[in-house]
Amino acid sequence: MKGFTRYFFQKLFWYLLAFFLALFLNFFLPRLIPGDPISVIVSKMMSGTVASETQERVYQSFMEEFGLDKPLPIQFFNYIGNVFRGDLGTTFSLYPLSVNEVLGNAIVWTIFLQFPAIIVGWILGNLLGAAAAYRKGVFDKTIFPVALFVNSIPYYALAIILLYVFGVFLGWFPIGGGYSRTLLPSWSWAFVIDVLHHYFLPFISIVLVTIGGQAIGMREMSIYELNTDYVTYSKMLGIKDKKIQSYVFKNAVLPQITGLAISLGTMVGGALITEIVFGYPGVGTWLFNGIRQLDYPMIQGSTLIIAMMVLIANFILDMVYGLIDPRIKAAQTEEG
Amino acid sequence: MKKVFVVFLLLASLVMGSALFAQVTQIPREEAVYVAGFQWGPPTTDNPLAGSPMTFVSDPRQHIWIYETLFTWDALNGKYVPILGESYRWLDDLRLEVKVNPKAYFHDGEPVTADDVVYSYKLGQKYPLGLQIWEWLKDVYKVDNHTVIFEMKPDNPNRLMVEDAIGATFILPEHIWSKVEAENNYDLTKIRQFRNENPVGSGPYKVFYESPETIILKRVDNYWGNEALHGGKKPAAKYIVHPIFKSNDEGSLAFENGEVDVSQQFTPRIWEMWEKKGLPIGTWYDEIPYHMPATMPSLWFNVNKYPLSLPEVRKAIAYSVNYARISELAMSNYSPKVQASLILPYGGEAKYFDENLVKQYGWEYNPKEAVRILEEDLGATKGKDGIYVLPDGTRLGPFSVECPYGWTDWNASLQIVAQGARAVGIDIQTSFPDAPIAYDNRQTGNFDMTMWAPSQPGPAQPWLRFQIALYSKGVPEVGQIAYSNYGRYKNEWADQLIDMIPKVTDEKELKNLYTELDQIYREDIPMFPLMYRPQTFYEYNETYWTGWANAKNPYAPPMPLVGAGMEMLWHLEPAK
């Protein structure tokens, strides 16, 4: 087998293994939470009634419908079978909606929020980091500590502070949701502006954290590059500063691109806290609700999506590395 | 830069595209009544048979906007208000006759007949739906097009629960639902999954628009009841809008700002809205307790767990609770003084309430009496840590008391319970797990003490409350799921009395039986009420609509446009 093909299949094998492990955990972990989800559904339906057979019959009919009356291993294989058919099941807490429907809508909101925020944060962070490295002086002495500060505040705290200051205290922004509940979705300016109004705080919270992290990384890489021989040599040759800066930037930004790819891969999972704090209607909010409601199919569905996104992003990254960097490919194939 | 903008537009259109499938124009504010507090998650289905707790149209005791019931309960006078049913009467011990209003018809123009009524009730016989009536019913049949007979099983009749059921089941159009049944091969799991996106009922409104954020109903202009029940008047509001808020705070703010006209949310310190802020806001009473009591959130004991199995210990705890403090701090003064009885001293059941016995044998907040019971009746001695120890060396606690996390008024109540108990020398710790876990613990009997409200007002009260609190027949052992009598209390005499009452019609005898039951309850105290709560909270804002019912103008009970409170729709008028 040729080098790359072998590398490809080796990687694929490990990623598939990880995927099955994820499937396994997705299925069993929610079931370790104490409590009986069906008795919750039935007790909401039958609250305020007298003890009777009817309750037992209703309970049984839901157990059968969700397949929970079967032994765990059989439930597990049913689940795997359904996943491969692209069916994530019916939610318990939003019965009779399907998990596909709920998460299908939610993921659009998640990506709409995360993707632009990560990109904007990444671009600004790298520009600022590079600037800090070249300009040094006062510029560096302000950007660097600020970036370090923002980056070291726990994210949930930052989000809550933003929400409190700009949402609750100043009242400039709404305190939750994707758009106002009193407004009907339409292609009107009022609606678009309302969506953007709700969008701003969660967006800016992600941008801030991304800028912080990226700026620190970029600053360090740039300083390292600025001290390399080729920079000294270029300076001796009398090449213009601007030109040298562009060489340095190109070299320094390479590892940052890896970082970008990883954050895009972990985007859906990373959205969790943002969405919970700002009540944004994405995957994270549903995962959180699912856990609180013992909604097994919803928990399974959301964690599966998160796991898949991470695995796919890493797999693509590995492949790209394998293609562009022969050293990695060689090292990896020799080991195996 | 252009590219970035295009990408952004693309993403934006992706998000909004999904919401745009059902594009609607703006609803004119002056034509819509905004209600809040009935739904906290996205609408999932309009199928009344789905039985999901999240469906907007699924509770026939309240939401009779689209589908209607035969009757609806007015807790103000303890009587039924006729809707599709014109009248009802008992022909003999086993047969109840209901007359269906001959003027009634569905949205598609088809008449509502005895066949539709029989069909709707028989669905509960065919499938395991929530319909309990078939425990007691032998048959439901029609006599003529507008007369239906409910015939009970001779060996297990229950007059009260059958009367309860004629106000708790939607009458569905047979010509539509028999097709739904057939299309789904008479398979309940498939029928339950049917979304029923355009429900055809007989009620005054129909679904206009639904999204995870809002539900909008639109007036049915040729609603049959306008002529037959409301003297030819139409409701003034063309739309009913229910915004789905994520939290109580968000909803309360919207209500205060006039974005919501009537709400059933718990709104703390509501009097400040008119006393301090001068807003056009009102509740049922304009002074304490502001709301009309109807239910009894209670503390339940696991009566088989030593030493909580000793009635004296339970009574000492009941004496240690500062009920006034619960009302003031947890309930914003919305609960009047709680009495030591399972009979509510308000509304239709007040006639069975015996004040003298409550005074003589009941409990109230009295820490000294609690200490006296512990020391004299039980012979307990106080340990070094301030907690009493029984003569056999059993320490009174730590006991845990539980209710779902985030139910803020309940959480606060239990904290007050724990403080009061510790003050007299009983160690109680609060525990607030997520709702499914609290439900599970309560139902399987995995608790020391837990909090739960026995049941809603209706024609079967106070019998139903005694049944849920004391009745032991059919309640499984600890470890299995029970839907009533969570503490597994057992008393044969109480069981017999509870069996007896539904057959009795003589009011004097009924009063004796209830008094006897209430005495058993007070002696054994397997649970006790911590507060009284309204059936639904009711607060209205007159910025856009006036004509709301209240204690001074009690033409309908305090329910925000649901149940018998529906009547208000025909009395509301635009402000200005």
Side-chain angles (χ1 to χ4, degrees):
Chain A
M1 227 190 288
K2 271 189 186 167
F4 185 74
T5 326
R6 192 168 156 202
Y7 173 73
F8 175 83
F9 280 108
Q10 245 176 25
K11 282 283 168 196
L12 191 67
F13 170 76
W14 287 110
Y15 275 98
L16 282 178
L17 195 73
F19 176 69
F20 276 102
L21 201 68
L23 272 183
F24 185 81
L25 291 176
N26 284 342
F27 178 82
F28 283 101
L29 286 182
R31 282 165 175 76
L32 294 179
I33 311 172
D36 177 349
I38 304 303
S39 89
V40 175
I41 294 176
V42 177
S43 106
K44 279 181 186 163
M45 254 174 95
M46 308 283 304
S47 72
T49 58
V50 307
S52 70
E53 290 163 32
T54 311
Q55 287 152 347
E56 185 55 31
R57 282 172 66 212
V58 173
Y59 182 86
Q60 279 309 328
S61 80
F62 274 105
M63 288 292 277
E64 275 164 37
E65 176 164 357
F66 294 129
L68 296 177
D69 53 337
K70 300 190 178 70
L72 265 190
I74 293 182
Q75 286 184 42
F76 180 62
F77 285 113
N78 283 342
Y79 162 66
I80 302 259
N82 286 335
V83 165
F84 281 99
R85 275 197 299 274
D87 174 9
L88 297 174
T90 308
T91 84
F92 296 173
S93 59
L94 298 176
Y95 182 84
L97 291 187
S98 69
V99 177
N100 293 30
E101 245 175 303
V102 177
L103 292 185
N105 280 325
I107 203 159
V108 180
W109 283 100
T110 296
I111 293 173
F112 170 63
L113 172 63
Q114 293 272 315
F115 190 78
I118 290 174
I119 300 285
V120 169
W122 186 83
I123 293 172
L124 290 179
N126 282 306
L127 289 178
L128 283 176
Y134 302 136
R135 303 252 169 109
K136 302 198 186 85
V138 186
F139 201 63
D140 187 29
K141 283 192 181 102
T142 50
I143 288 186
F144 182 60
V146 168
L148 206 59
F149 175 70
V150 170
N151 200 44
S152 54
I153 306 176
Y155 175 65
Y156 55 87
L158 179 76
I160 289 171
I161 290 169
L162 281 177
L163 186 68
Y164 180 75
V165 173
F166 296 101
V168 180
F169 187 68
L170 293 172
W172 292 354
F173 293 98
I175 52 170
Y179 58 90
S180 296
R181 261 157 273 286
T182 46
L183 217 66
L184 303 181
S186 61
W187 263 128
S188 62
W189 275 115
F191 183 72
V192 172
I193 287 168
D194 185 65
V195 167
L196 294 178
H197 195 202
H198 282 75
Y199 186 76
F200 188 78
L201 276 188
F203 174 80
I204 214 71
S205 76
I206 302 170
V207 169
L208 277 180
V209 170
T210 319
I211 288 182
Q214 295 295 331
I216 295 168
M218 188 62 185
R219 177 183 170 274
E220 257 137 50
M221 279 313 294
S222 302
I223 289 172
Y224 169 81
E225 290 288 334
L226 282 170
N227 293 324
T228 48
D229 293 343
Y230 76 86
V231 173
T232 326
Y233 185 60
S234 308
K235 274 183 182 163
M236 283 183 349
L237 287 180
I239 296 175
K240 277 182 187 162
D241 253 15
K242 268 233 158 125
K243 194 84 186 162
I244 298 175
Q245 277 179 16
S246 83
Y247 290 146
V248 169
F249 187 81
K250 274 181 192 160
N251 282 327
V253 89
L254 263 178
Q256 299 296 104
I257 290 176
T258 311
L260 176 65
I262 290 175
S263 27
L264 290 179
T266 53
M267 176 164 69
V268 175
L272 254 175
I273 295 170
T274 323
E275 289 177 5
I276 291 167
V277 172
F278 295 101
Y280 217 68
V283 176
T285 303
W286 289 120
L287 173 57
F288 185 62
N289 279 346
I291 292 171
R292 296 202 55 195
Q293 301 289 326
L294 278 188
D295 191 341
Y296 299 158
M298 187 73 95
I299 306 174
Q300 282 161 202
S302 0
T303 47
L304 184 70
I305 288 178
I306 292 170
M308 267 168 54
M309 293 286 283
V310 174
L311 288 176
I312 290 172
N314 279 300
F315 183 70
I316 292 174
L317 210 61
D318 267 350
M319 287 306 109
V320 173
Y321 278 155
L323 279 177
I324 61 174
D325 194 339
R327 287 169 303 179
I328 292 176
K329 185 171 62 187
Q332 302 258 344
T333 38
E334 270 160 28
E335 272 172 28
Chain B
M1 265 335 267
K2 256 190 181 169
K3 265 188 197 162
V4 176
F5 187 66
V6 169
V7 167
F8 180 77
L9 263 188
L10 252 165
L11 277 165
S13 61
L14 258 176
V15 170
M16 281 173 260
S18 58
L20 277 174
F21 280 112
Q23 188 166 0
V24 239
T25 45
Q26 191 82 32
I27 298 285
R29 183 65 181 87
E30 65 280 3
E31 288 181 21
V33 178
Y34 279 69
V35 300
F38 293 105
Q39 184 152 341
W40 300 92
T44 57
T45 174
D46 289 323
N47 179 350
L49 305 182
S52 157
M54 296 306 283
T55 51
F56 196 68
V57 295
S58 71
D59 183 358
R61 284 170 206 268
Q62 298 198 349
H63 302 284
I64 48 178
W65 287 324
I66 296 159
Y67 290 109
E68 295 184 299
T69 47
L70 291 171
F71 302 94
T72 186
W73 187 251
D74 185 344
L76 274 186
N77 54 16
K79 282 190 184 123
Y80 265 136
V81 177
I83 303 288
L84 287 174
E86 232 178 1
S87 63
Y88 71 97
R89 66 184 176 119
W90 287 94
L91 299 178
D92 49 47
D93 283 351
L94 295 176
R95 292 183 307 151
L96 177 75
E97 181 195 81
V98 175
K99 291 276 186 191
V100 181
N101 197 317
K103 291 176 185 151
Y105 53 87
F106 293 105
H107 295 159
D108 59 0
E110 293 286 318
V112 179
T113 65
D115 289 317
D116 295 306
V117 176
V118 170
Y119 172 80
S120 303
Y121 280 92
K122 283 207 165 168
L123 282 173
Q125 191 184 31
K126 252 191 265 182
Y127 308 109
L129 298 166
L131 271 175
Q132 262 197 319
I133 194 169
W134 292 97
E135 311 265 336
W136 309 287
L137 229 49
K138 197 174 102 188
D139 199 8
V140 176
Y141 53 89
K142 78 166 191 179
V143 179
D144 59 48
N145 259 344
H146 304 293
T147 311
V148 177
I149 304 271
F150 292 79
E151 190 175 334
M152 294 192 286
K153 293 175 182 164
D155 56 330
N156 187 25
N158 191 321
R159 204 173 46 86
L160 292 170
M161 289 308 282
V162 171
E163 277 190 26
D164 191 76
I166 60 171
T169 303
F170 283 133
I171 305 307
L172 307 178
E174 184 181 9
H175 62 277
I176 291 174
W177 286 86
S178 55
K179 271 185 220 146
V180 173
E181 275 188 282
E183 276 160 20
N184 291 291
N185 290 324
Y186 303 93
D187 177 351
L188 176 64
T189 59
K190 286 191 189 135
I191 296 170
R192 271 203 298 232
Q193 301 233 357
F194 169 62
R195 291 287 170 78
N196 192 25
E197 263 147 9
N198 203 354
V200 176
S202 58
Y205 285 80
K206 61 184 177 193
V207 174
F208 178 67
Y209 172 78
E210 286 180 320
S211 79
E213 285 75 25
T214 327
I215 301 173
I216 302 174
L217 306 180
K218 192 180 175 190
R219 186 175 63 202
V220 175
D221 281 335
N222 62 343
Y223 168 56
W224 69 274
N226 290 337
E227 286 300 327
L229 304 173
H230 301 282
K233 212 177 164 197
K234 261 195 293 194
K238 197 168 174 193
Y239 301 96
I240 297 176
V241 184
H242 189 299
I244 299 159
F245 296 107
K246 290 276 180 329
S247 72
N248 231 333
D249 300 333
E250 207 185 339
S252 296
L253 202 66
F255 172 69
E256 202 178 319
N257 293 340
E259 287 160 36
V260 168
D261 299 307
V262 65
S263 163
Q264 92 95 17
Q265 285 184 204
F266 176 81
T267 309
R269 307 178 71 76
I270 186 114
W271 59 89
E272 289 183 351
M273 293 200 184
W274 61 84
E275 282 178 12
K276 285 193 182 162
K277 298 179 184 167
L279 295 171
I281 281 175
T283 48
W284 185 251
Y285 303 112
D286 51 15
E287 53 194 18
I288 286 175
Y290 302 98
H291 296 280
M292 205 183 79
T295 65
M296 300 182 181
S298 303
L299 186 83
W300 299 67
F301 293 101
N302 193 337
V303 297
N304 297 309
K305 233 181 199 178
Y306 186 79
L308 292 174
S309 53
L310 304 172
E312 292 86 353
V313 173
R314 304 202 286 264
K315 201 165 250 176
I317 293 174
Y319 269 110
S320 77
V321 176
N322 190 338
Y323 302 95
R325 210 176 149 80
I326 289 182
S327 172
E328 189 193 330
L329 292 183
M331 283 289 290
S332 233
N333 280 328
Y334 298 159
S335 169
K337 187 172 186 277
V338 176
Q339 312 261 12
S341 169
L342 276 184
I343 301 166
L344 196 69
Y346 301 90
E349 60 189 86
K351 59 187 177 211
Y352 303 123
F353 185 79
D354 192 325
E355 206 178 342
N356 290 331
L357 286 176
V358 171
K359 271 198 183 129
Q360 202 178 338
Y361 299 100
W363 52 84
E364 55 190 0
Y365 175 51
N366 185 348
K368 277 185 195 147
E369 177 63 13
V371 170
R372 191 202 63 78
I373 293 174
L374 293 175
E375 287 179 355
E376 289 176 25
D377 296 354
L378 286 164
T381 46
K382 212 170 201 174
K384 273 180 199 153
D385 54 357
I387 302 301
Y388 277 95
V389 178
L390 295 180
D392 66 357
T394 311
R395 187 176 181 269
L396 289 184
F399 304 119
S400 108
V401 60
E402 201 170 88
C403 80
Y405 174 77
W407 298 22
T408 46
D409 48 333
W410 285 29
N411 295 165
S413 308
L414 290 187
Q415 265 149 6
I416 294 166
V417 167
Q419 283 164 13
R422 246 172 273 149
V424 302
I426 300 169
D427 185 2
I428 293 183
Q429 310 280 343
T430 55
S431 151
F432 305 130
D434 275 335
I437 294 158
Y439 275 56
D440 199 55
N441 288 342
R442 169 164 57 81
Q443 291 173 335
T444 53
N446 178 25
F447 62 86
D448 297 334
M449 281 170 257
T450 189
M451 186 168 172
W452 194 247
S455 67
Q456 296 282 321
Q461 296 296 11
W463 178 81
L464 189 53
R465 203 177 296 114
F466 279 106
Q467 214 277 357
I468 287 169
L470 307 179
Y471 197 64
S472 70
K473 289 189 200 169
V475 175
E477 299 288 298
V478 167
Q480 282 169 292
I481 296 168
Y483 295 97
S484 61
N485 191 356
Y486 305 111
R488 270 73 170 176
Y489 171 77
K490 218 172 219 144
N491 180 321
E492 268 178 43
W493 181 221
D495 282 352
Q496 280 181 36
L497 285 167
I498 289 167
D499 279 334
M500 232 182 278
I501 288 174
K503 300 180 187 90
V504 177
T505 49
D506 180 60
E507 281 293 334
K508 216 173 162 194
E509 205 188 332
L510 271 179
K511 166 127 191 176
N512 289 338
L513 292 173
Y514 278 127
T515 305
E516 175 98 27
L517 261 178
D518 216 24
Q519 264 311 87
I520 296 176
Y521 158 72
R522 268 188 292 270
E523 272 157 35
D524 284 354
I525 185 173
M527 47 82 93
F528 64 93
L530 294 174
M531 54 165 92
Y532 292 151
R533 247 183 117 89
Q535 178 171 14
T536 56
F537 286 100
Y538 169 72
E539 54 255 347
Y540 55 85
N541 186 327
E542 293 189 299
T543 308
Y544 292 94
W545 297 95
T546 57
W548 304 96
N550 56 37
K552 286 178 186 147
N553 184 17
Y555 66 86
M559 295 174 83
L561 306 185
V562 294
M566 280 280 278
E567 182 62 30
M568 287 184 240
L569 279 168
W570 285 268
H571 292 251
L572 290 183
E573 286 184 9
K576 282 173 262 174

